[in-house]
Amino acid sequence: MEKPKSSKKQKLHATMEITGTVVLEKKMLSSFHDAADELLGRKVAFQFITDAPNQGRDRVKKAYLEGWITGGYKVKFEWSEDLGVPLGFTITNLHHSEFYLKSLTLESVPGHGRVHFLCNSWVYPAECYTKERVFFSNQPYLPWETPAALAAYREEELESLRGNGKGKMEEWDRVYDFDIYNDLGEPEKGIDYVRPILGDSSEFPYPRRGRTGRPPSSSDPKCESRLPLYESLNIYVPRDEKFGSIKMSDFIAYALKSIFQFLAPEFKDLFDETRGEFDSFDDVMRLYDGGIKITEGSVLDRIREAIPFETIRELLRSDGEGAFKFPLPQIIQAEDKTAWRSDEEFAREMLAGLNPIVISRLKEFPPVSHLDPEIYGDQSSKLTADHIKDGLEGMTVEEALEKNKLYILDHHDHMMPYLARINTTATKTYATRTILYLTKDGTLKPLAIELSLPYPQGHPGAVSSVYTPAKDGVQASIWQLAKCHVSVNDSGYHQLICHWLHTHATIEPFVIATHRQLSVMHPIHKLLHPHFKDTMNVNALARQTLINAGGFLEITVFPAKYSLEMSSLLYKNWVFTEQALPADLLKRGVAVEDSSCIHGIRLLIEDYPYAADGLEIWAAIRTWVNDYCTIYYKNDESVQNDVELQSWWKDVREKGHGDKKHEPWWPKMNTIKDLTDSCTIIIWVASALHAAVNFGQYPYGGYLPNRPSMSRRFIPEPGTPEYEELKSDPDKAFLKSITSQLQSILGISLVEVLSRHPEDEVFLGQRDSPEWTSDREAIKAFEKFGARLEKIEKKIVEMNNDGKLKNRFGPVKVPYTLLFPSSGTGITGKGIPNSISI
């Protein structure tokens, strides 16, 4: 009898069941409707995309999520060998509520084994989308390597993420688009709340932010309307960019702003001698030693009960120990709690403090202004050799310059254009120049401080005074006030420029462009994505409550309502390639090229903790990026022919940083070196640079006398009551000159939040999933990167224990650990998160 011909066909099409394990999180307040949906057959459907030839979109049968009600999420697929290997899947949510899909894992795919899909995305009900949601396996593909079955999905996904540039964004939208900073002011509130529009302007250039599509302001159609305060946490960013858990930033966005509205009456009588002032340094220490107690039924007590966030509950304690009792900042943890006032510590923090990225080598004396004399008049320095000659260890000024011994902290040119307007507010401050000498023991010594004001009555030019160190009498007190004004300048410049502009604002365009132009399958997307976590959300909340008109930054930082406008002026000087650490050190003159040195440059201040540690971290990042990129790009032509990569770089230059699109310094993105250099800079800025200027805010700035953010008095003149007070009670006069009580408490509250690592922090050299890629060669290169960072940690510990390196710990006995890669949670003064996540 003839053998049936159907047996072979039956074998080819034999089916089996494959079970997939799904990891997801339900919405915190998941609707009871979702359970009803399950019972009524409205489920969550999965459908695979495979590499089988001639596969149509309906080739694989749909499977449905199991365990929604009982837990233990599974999905069972009907599978046959001719379906090939799963490359991706679509998902349809027929429930009423969204859920967070973390991953889907198949353990035993015939002929392939384990297949993992790392998803990490919110999936909303199907009616929220015009196209079905799609997820891809964690295998990276350059555009031309994309399997045919995925090609259309890849392009459709990018089209969805780019959006059409129209309409108001809703919470379920996944659109990444650019917009200008036209949402900082509230013109409908009156002239005091009008702010310039930043971006798309030669007068006020700026990086772009994420688009929200909110309607225009009722009083100025060029401005975008703002959300009411109570809706701050609802400001639009793509849902996957929102915080994954309750974080300290909640406090910034909502609780702290809410507190400010109620605190003024509560604080009237907390310090009995002088309202609104600290009367002594003992008063300041009460913030850390005992706190400010809350009486039962007080306003603060009511606020504590009304606000659900853990961070605010921690601040507003009800344990009887006091509400505003702050942790003791590292700067005053040593036995000598006045060491911060020493000249050595004042200078050391320019190398190893909160803002160690401004100091530069003095190349000519006196220092020269680069402001246009036609506009600003004579801005030449009044410093002379007589002011500094006694501190040069026997050298002349010319010899000290030649031997690279003179340095400057120069805040003159960027302050002077705004100073007349700033001083019409409650602020009373100067444009400062500080001259420092590099001593034989490697420490810096301040020699002179020049304080300048605009020439009165609107005439161009500057009126300057020079102050030199003094140990006794009223002159010693005046010297302390001169250093205080330098710190105020540096504090504002740090917060507005070094921190906000040079990390938060300039990185956001890269975040947006990456999602718009690089598929999640693209290897460069996989490289950069961890370094963008939470950045858009942090920045959006900042626009809503911190950097907006009347926001927290304007309240606590001296440029007040001119803060963001001033940062726009400084953005004109921003150069992408100079954000590379070696380029920055060379530009500031604190290093010279030297091929015999391990990093190719030699530090002129050998004991420069930020630079020394930073170069180690920079080199590790650069090597990792090069190792990774060369896995996928074998020659320069492959970079040039990568259409997604080229579109990404064009988006960054022409849209994200559109006001600088014609600058000649942009890398051309024609070579592997262009790619690795650019990615190294992006990762450096988002991780190490931000860590260096952010996580020291509480250790150094949590004690406001060390880093005052406001100044309310000029240096007193002889014969005035202020001068007599300075002679009779110099501490009280000092405290009256800097940030007030309430501003201090608000400022300390802010930097306490900004300096904390949350529990879900992911640090440099780590990933939130070990299966971030299925490429073993890439994983091996990443493990090499992590091992190098561990060696750097050991080296940092060794240097901090080397007593010869005095700038590593200083008179305050605070070791420099801001570029120590790993950390625990809380305020640690160390740790480099992958991203700008706070």
Side-chain angles (χ1 to χ4, degrees):
M1 182 180 293
E2 187 178 8
K3 189 175 183 179
K5 295 181 180 180
S6 61
S7 62
K8 185 176 181 181
K9 184 178 291 187
Q10 289 172 348
K11 182 178 181 181
L12 285 173
H13 292 83
T15 60
M16 62 180 296
E17 187 178 83
I18 297 178
T19 300
T21 300
V22 177
V23 180
L24 63 81
E25 290 182 8
K26 296 180 182 179
K27 183 181 178 182
M28 188 175 295
L29 298 176
S30 183
S31 171
F32 73 92
H33 290 298
D34 295 335
D37 289 333
E38 285 285 316
L39 296 174
L40 295 173
R42 294 193 292 267
K43 297 178 177 290
V44 177
F46 293 75
Q47 188 171 30
F48 274 121
I49 308 161
T50 78
D51 64 353
N54 303 317
Q55 181 200 176
R57 291 206 171 191
D58 295 322
R59 179 71 171 83
V60 183
K61 291 180 64 175
K62 288 184 178 180
Y64 295 91
L65 181 68
E66 300 176 5
W68 184 267
I69 298 175
T70 60
Y73 306 111
K74 301 289 184 181
V75 59
K76 297 177 180 178
F77 299 93
E78 187 177 296
W79 202 260
S80 60
E81 291 186 6
D82 67 318
L83 291 177
V85 177
L87 303 173
F89 67 88
T90 62
I91 185 169
T92 304
N93 176 12
L94 299 179
H95 289 176
H96 280 74
S97 303
E98 69 272 22
F99 58 85
Y100 187 71
L101 182 62
K102 290 187 173 182
S103 65
L104 167 63
T105 305
L106 305 176
E107 294 295 346
S108 302
V109 177
H112 193 78
R114 191 173 188 272
V115 179
H116 184 72
F117 299 87
L118 187 64
C119 305
N120 288 335
S121 182
W122 286 93
V123 179
Y124 274 76
E127 59 265 24
C128 293
Y129 303 118
T130 57
K131 295 180 181 178
E132 56 190 350
R133 289 298 311 276
V134 61
F135 293 93
F136 306 105
S137 71
N138 58 353
Q139 173 64 42
Y141 297 105
L142 289 167
W144 61 86
E145 299 170 336
T146 309
L150 294 182
Y153 288 100
R154 180 170 184 153
E155 183 53 41
E156 286 178 5
E157 176 76 351
L158 287 173
E159 288 177 0
S160 295
L161 293 170
R162 286 192 287 268
N164 59 14
K166 299 177 182 179
K168 179 179 178 291
M169 297 293 99
E170 303 294 347
E171 68 168 90
W172 52 81
D173 284 323
R174 304 172 59 240
V175 173
Y176 294 79
D177 203 356
F178 300 103
D179 209 343
I180 57 177
Y181 280 71
N182 63 347
D183 62 341
L184 300 178
E186 289 189 81
E188 57 270 20
K189 284 187 174 183
I191 190 67
D192 289 342
Y193 289 86
V194 173
R195 298 292 181 271
I197 294 172
L198 308 181
D200 197 22
S201 162
S202 58
E203 182 180 7
F204 299 118
Y206 222 62
R208 300 302 189 261
R209 63 170 175 91
R211 176 179 173 271
T212 69
R214 292 197 303 268
S217 164
S218 60
S219 57
D220 185 349
K222 294 180 181 178
C223 294
E224 186 172 274
S225 59
R226 292 179 53 77
L227 291 178
L229 177 64
Y230 60 85
E231 290 187 17
S232 293
L233 293 178
N234 295 328
I235 189 169
Y236 174 78
V237 293
R239 182 63 192 271
D240 291 345
E241 301 302 319
K242 284 187 175 290
F243 299 138
S245 60
I246 296 176
K247 297 180 59 168
M248 292 293 181
S249 301
D250 291 341
F251 179 46
I252 302 173
Y254 178 82
L256 194 56
K257 185 74 174 183
S258 299
I259 288 175
F260 178 74
Q261 298 178 13
F262 301 103
L263 280 190
E266 195 72 10
F267 276 84
K268 281 184 179 179
D269 300 311
L270 290 174
F271 298 85
D272 54 7
E273 187 176 337
T274 309
R275 289 184 177 182
E277 301 293 346
F278 290 111
D279 294 311
S280 67
F281 284 106
D282 287 340
D283 267 355
V284 180
M285 289 303 298
R286 283 179 59 197
L287 295 174
Y288 316 102
D289 293 339
I292 302 169
K293 293 191 175 183
I294 298 178
T295 58
E296 187 176 350
S298 68
V299 173
L300 292 180
D301 195 40
R302 294 196 298 273
I303 294 171
R304 183 187 63 239
E305 293 304 318
I307 295 175
F309 301 117
E310 292 300 322
T311 49
I312 189 65
R313 290 182 183 277
E314 174 64 18
L315 179 68
L316 301 180
R317 295 185 178 94
S318 58
D319 55 9
E321 293 299 318
F324 285 95
K325 180 182 177 182
F326 296 97
L328 193 66
Q330 285 178 278
I331 195 74
I332 51 172
Q333 285 183 8
E335 184 176 350
D336 182 1
K337 291 190 171 16
T338 65
W340 62 272
R341 304 185 78 165
S342 67
D343 287 358
E344 183 181 342
E345 180 60 24
F346 170 72
R348 184 192 78 94
E349 290 184 26
M350 301 178 196
L351 304 175
L354 178 54
N355 195 29
I357 59 178
V358 180
I359 188 171
S360 61
R361 179 165 54 90
L362 190 61
K363 298 177 182 178
E364 54 184 319
F365 186 88
V368 175
S369 171
H370 298 286
L371 293 174
D372 186 349
E374 294 292 324
I375 300 174
Y376 299 104
D378 181 13
Q379 295 290 331
S380 58
S381 173
K382 304 305 186 289
L383 285 157
T384 68
D386 287 340
H387 289 124
I388 66 172
K389 64 182 181 180
D390 292 341
L392 300 181
E393 296 180 334
M395 285 187 285
T396 65
V397 172
E398 291 72 20
E399 289 172 334
L401 287 170
E402 184 179 350
K403 293 182 179 180
N404 302 320
K405 289 287 190 176
L406 289 175
Y407 293 83
I408 184 170
L409 188 71
D410 192 348
H411 288 299
H412 181 277
D413 280 8
H414 56 257
M415 282 290 298
M416 191 56 72
Y418 281 89
L419 199 53
R421 284 180 284 172
I422 288 172
N423 283 338
T424 63
T425 69
T427 294
K428 299 294 179 281
T429 194
Y430 303 88
T432 66
R433 295 183 178 109
T434 306
I435 307 299
L436 305 109
Y437 175 75
L438 181 62
T439 66
K440 292 178 181 178
D441 67 2
T443 61
L444 288 174
K445 177 173 66 175
L447 301 180
I449 293 172
E450 182 176 20
L451 303 182
S452 301
L453 290 170
Y455 200 84
Q457 299 169 339
H459 297 293
V463 179
S464 301
S465 300
V466 177
Y467 301 89
T468 55
K471 298 294 185 183
D472 302 303
V474 70
Q475 293 305 313
S477 299
I478 289 175
W479 173 244
Q480 288 293 335
L481 288 177
K483 291 194 296 181
C484 169
H485 280 285
V486 172
S487 295
V488 169
N489 270 198
D490 196 59
S491 179
Y493 188 83
H494 158 261
Q495 200 66 274
L496 294 173
I497 309 304
C498 301
H499 184 197
W500 166 256
L501 177 65
H502 287 172
T503 64
H504 285 258
T506 55
I507 281 294
E508 186 164 0
F510 293 94
V511 180
I512 298 169
T514 298
H515 286 281
R516 285 167 55 84
Q517 304 296 348
L518 296 179
S519 166
V520 293
M521 290 185 282
H522 199 290
I524 301 304
H525 187 288
K526 290 184 178 294
L527 172 69
L528 296 178
H529 184 257
H531 304 288
F532 298 152
K533 181 179 183 287
D534 292 343
T535 302
M536 288 187 72
N537 201 20
V538 167
N539 288 1
L541 293 173
R543 297 197 315 273
Q544 179 67 11
T545 63
L546 296 182
I547 64 174
N548 59 300
F552 207 90
L553 202 66
E554 291 192 355
I555 295 169
T556 58
V557 177
F558 75 86
K561 66 181 182 180
Y562 302 106
S563 295
L564 267 290
E565 181 180 336
M566 187 173 162
S567 74
S568 171
L569 177 70
L570 273 296
Y571 177 61
K572 293 179 179 181
N573 301 331
W574 182 82
V575 176
F576 174 70
T577 51
E578 290 178 354
Q579 308 314 300
L581 179 60
D584 170 60
L585 297 173
L586 291 170
K587 179 186 178 183
R588 290 192 281 122
V590 295
V592 293
E593 293 183 349
D594 189 337
S595 58
S596 67
C597 294
I598 187 170
H599 301 298
I601 63 172
R602 175 169 53 86
L603 294 176
L604 297 179
I605 304 174
E606 183 178 349
D607 184 13
Y608 187 170
Y610 162 75
D613 296 358
L615 286 171
E616 295 288 341
I617 299 294
W618 169 268
I621 295 172
R622 183 184 59 192
T623 299
W624 150 240
V625 170
N626 185 73
D627 289 348
Y628 181 85
C629 290
T630 51
I631 294 172
Y632 305 100
Y633 296 94
K634 303 303 182 184
N635 50 54
D636 293 341
E637 289 74 20
S638 58
V639 172
Q640 297 162 20
N641 294 332
D642 187 337
V643 292
E644 286 186 8
L645 189 73
Q646 295 302 322
S647 296
W648 169 67
W649 199 239
K650 183 178 181 180
D651 233 18
V652 166
R653 295 188 336 268
E654 297 185 5
K655 294 182 179 179
H657 285 281
D659 296 328
K660 289 185 168 287
K661 62 185 175 184
H662 298 302
E663 297 286 0
W665 39 255
W666 282 108
K668 304 300 181 185
M669 204 53 68
N670 286 334
T671 65
I672 294 175
K673 185 177 185 302
D674 286 345
L675 175 61
T676 56
D677 286 351
S678 299
C679 290
T680 301
I681 292 172
I682 294 167
I683 294 172
W684 162 261
V685 171
S687 59
L689 179 60
H690 180 258
V693 298
N694 183 76
F695 291 100
Q697 291 192 82
Y698 196 81
Y700 288 97
Y703 184 67
L704 257 296
N706 183 58
R707 292 287 296 183
S709 59
M710 304 281 281
S711 51
R712 297 176 291 147
R713 286 183 177 182
F714 294 122
I715 301 287
E717 297 290 338
T720 64
E722 290 80 10
Y723 191 85
E724 294 304 312
E725 183 180 48
L726 187 64
K727 289 199 300 184
S728 63
D729 194 343
D731 285 353
K732 188 172 183 177
F734 179 93
L735 292 169
K736 281 186 176 182
S737 297
I738 64 170
T739 318
S740 69
Q741 280 179 11
L742 182 55
Q743 287 172 323
S744 294
I745 292 167
L746 293 172
I748 294 169
S749 300
L750 176 61
V751 297
E752 182 188 10
V753 171
L754 294 177
S755 301
R756 287 182 179 273
H757 294 297
E759 291 185 7
D760 63 350
E761 197 85 277
V762 183
F763 295 96
L764 195 64
Q766 302 173 355
R767 291 288 172 109
D768 57 6
S769 170
E771 296 184 276
W772 60 276
T773 181
S774 61
D775 190 326
R776 291 303 308 167
E777 192 174 356
I779 290 175
K780 185 177 179 181
F782 189 66
E783 290 171 348
K784 174 185 169 185
F785 175 47
R788 183 167 180 175
L789 292 176
E790 290 178 1
K791 291 180 179 178
I792 292 172
E793 289 186 341
K794 293 178 181 178
K795 186 173 182 179
I796 290 173
V797 171
E798 291 172 0
M799 290 189 291
N800 284 343
N801 290 330
D802 186 344
K804 296 178 182 178
L805 300 176
K806 294 186 176 182
N807 295 327
R808 302 290 313 189
F809 48 88
V812 294
K813 309 301 181 188
V814 178
Y816 187 73
T817 55
L818 291 175
L819 289 176
F820 191 91
S822 65
S823 174
T825 60
I827 300 174
T828 64
K830 63 180 180 178
I832 303 176
N834 271 327
S835 64
I836 302 168
S837 58
I838 188 68

